[in-house]
Amino acid sequence: MYKKLYLILFFMSLYCVTAQTQTEIYLIGTVHKKSKILTPEILFDILEQIKPDVILQENDSRQIKTFLDDIEPDSNEQNATLWYLKKYPKTLNLPFEFEGRNGYRRKHGMVPADAETIDLLDSLYQAKLLNKKEMKIYADYLHANTELKAYGNKTFKELNSEQFDSINRIRQHIQHNELQKITSENDYFAKRFVVKPDGKKISYRDGYRLWCNFWDLRNNSMAINIIRTANENYGKRIVVLTGVQHKYYIKELLKKYEDGSYKVVDYFK
């Protein structure tokens, strides 16, 4: 009996130790440029309250190397982080972005095919040259955009709310899945082209498809990088500063792969 009691107490104590040393991940959805909804001062105050050991930036390894020197005056994340690092110099400032994101998109023609495709879609919609089903898809896209833009007049807490995430999830699904149904079935998008850096042409249809697929690849890569950093800094407190439109996706992936070594903490609750 005493042996069984000892084993129970042992495993309970082991569980308590594990729980206490569990890595905490705080996802903060940001807007990158200073505005009435978010300023570096507001973000710095949040960092002060959380007191992270590690701050993860939506930068890749090249960008993080110049983080302290290449200052953007209107950057919320950069300025708030620099103030925090000055006060707490032992804090780690690390990247979690897909490596070489911008160059990768340009190389494969995703940029500028993404913007050109949306512009053409909008023109066809305004001219009523889409069929009834396509008109409905694009109208839903515009409606979701309007709902998201309304959050520009709300608070930073509301921007990080489940309500925003819910609307954003719908909007991103339409943009990266439903709009593809229009571009893949409509010859307008097969007959327009952009030129890639290597001089080869790619159609709006193919460029937009690659761009949409990259949305999944990028978010999955960022989640993997966050988890890797969490494992390398076990028991520490990590703040992830990500563009607010990525927050719902990364949060879902972190929850999906949660193995007990870390937990996702909602600062705003």
Side-chain angles (χ1 to χ4, degrees):
M1 178 178 177
Y2 287 109
K3 185 176 181 180
K4 288 182 179 179
L5 180 60
Y6 172 79
L7 288 173
I8 290 171
L9 291 172
F10 172 76
F11 285 114
M12 284 180 66
S13 65
L14 184 63
Y15 171 80
C16 291
V17 170
T18 302
Q20 289 171 357
T21 57
Q22 198 175 34
T23 306
E24 295 180 348
I25 300 176
Y26 292 77
L27 280 175
I28 307 294
T30 67
V31 290
H32 299 311
K33 299 296 183 182
K34 181 168 59 174
S35 66
K36 63 181 180 180
I37 199 170
L38 180 63
T39 64
E41 289 80 7
I42 292 173
L43 191 54
F44 174 74
D45 287 342
I46 291 173
L47 293 176
E48 273 275 51
Q49 291 175 45
I50 298 174
K51 294 280 192 300
D53 305 292
V54 182
I55 301 175
L56 290 183
Q57 306 287 345
E58 197 175 296
N59 295 154
D60 62 15
S61 60
R62 181 189 61 80
Q63 293 169 318
I64 212 72
K65 286 181 181 177
T66 61
F67 190 90
L68 301 179
D69 305 311
D70 189 10
I71 310 298
E72 296 184 25
D74 292 331
S75 170
N76 287 316
E77 297 95 333
Q78 189 178 34
N79 287 292
T81 299
L82 290 175
W83 297 339
Y84 189 82
L85 293 176
K86 184 176 181 180
K87 189 170 182 179
Y88 306 100
K90 292 184 178 180
T91 307
L92 297 178
N93 186 50
L94 303 172
F96 74 97
E97 175 62 277
F98 179 93
E99 198 66 33
R101 172 199 65 202
N102 292 333
Y104 183 87
R105 292 192 296 197
R106 286 192 297 270
K107 176 183 177 181
H108 294 281
M110 305 174 198
V111 174
D114 57 336
E116 298 287 355
T117 298
I118 296 296
D119 285 345
L120 179 55
L121 270 168
D122 195 69
S123 296
L124 294 172
Y125 174 80
Q126 299 298 336
K128 295 182 171 54
L129 293 176
L130 301 174
N131 64 37
K132 185 176 179 180
K133 181 181 177 182
E134 294 168 343
M135 291 288 285
K136 174 66 166 57
I137 290 172
Y138 196 76
D140 289 344
Y141 175 66
L142 293 178
H143 177 70
N145 280 334
T146 299
E147 285 194 298
L148 289 182
K149 287 177 182 177
Y151 278 81
N153 295 315
K154 298 188 179 183
T155 66
F156 188 50
K157 180 178 180 179
E158 289 174 298
L159 191 70
N160 277 269
S161 67
E162 292 181 0
Q163 289 80 6
F164 179 91
D165 284 347
S166 179
I167 299 168
N168 189 37
R169 185 182 293 104
I170 292 169
R171 186 263 190 189
Q172 300 298 348
H173 173 75
I174 297 173
Q175 184 170 30
H176 297 98
N177 295 277
E178 297 299 308
L179 293 188
Q180 269 202 85
K181 294 177 181 178
I182 303 176
T183 60
S184 64
E185 296 173 5
N186 196 310
D187 285 343
Y188 284 110
F189 302 92
K191 296 177 180 179
R192 302 284 185 93
F193 300 88
V194 297
V195 179
K196 298 187 291 183
D198 62 5
K200 295 180 180 179
K201 294 195 301 183
I202 186 171
S203 68
Y204 284 16
R205 174 184 291 171
D206 290 340
Y208 189 73
R209 174 180 53 80
L210 291 175
W211 181 77
C212 291
N213 291 343
F214 183 65
W215 173 250
D216 296 312
L217 174 59
R218 183 183 175 195
N219 283 286
N220 275 272
S221 297
M222 291 196 291
I224 289 169
N225 290 337
I226 292 168
I227 293 170
R228 181 185 297 114
T229 301
N231 290 334
E232 292 171 352
N233 294 273
Y234 185 71
K236 299 295 180 65
R237 187 171 293 169
I238 299 173
V239 164
V240 180
L241 300 179
T242 184
V244 72
Q245 291 192 325
H246 293 279
K247 184 183 175 183
Y248 81 92
Y249 202 151
I250 294 174
K251 183 178 179 180
E252 289 174 2
L253 290 172
L254 293 181
K255 292 284 189 180
K256 178 179 178 179
Y257 297 118
E258 197 167 2
D259 61 358
S261 65
Y262 65 84
K263 63 179 179 180
V264 179
V265 183
D266 191 341
Y267 164 80
F268 296 93
K269 283 189 176 179

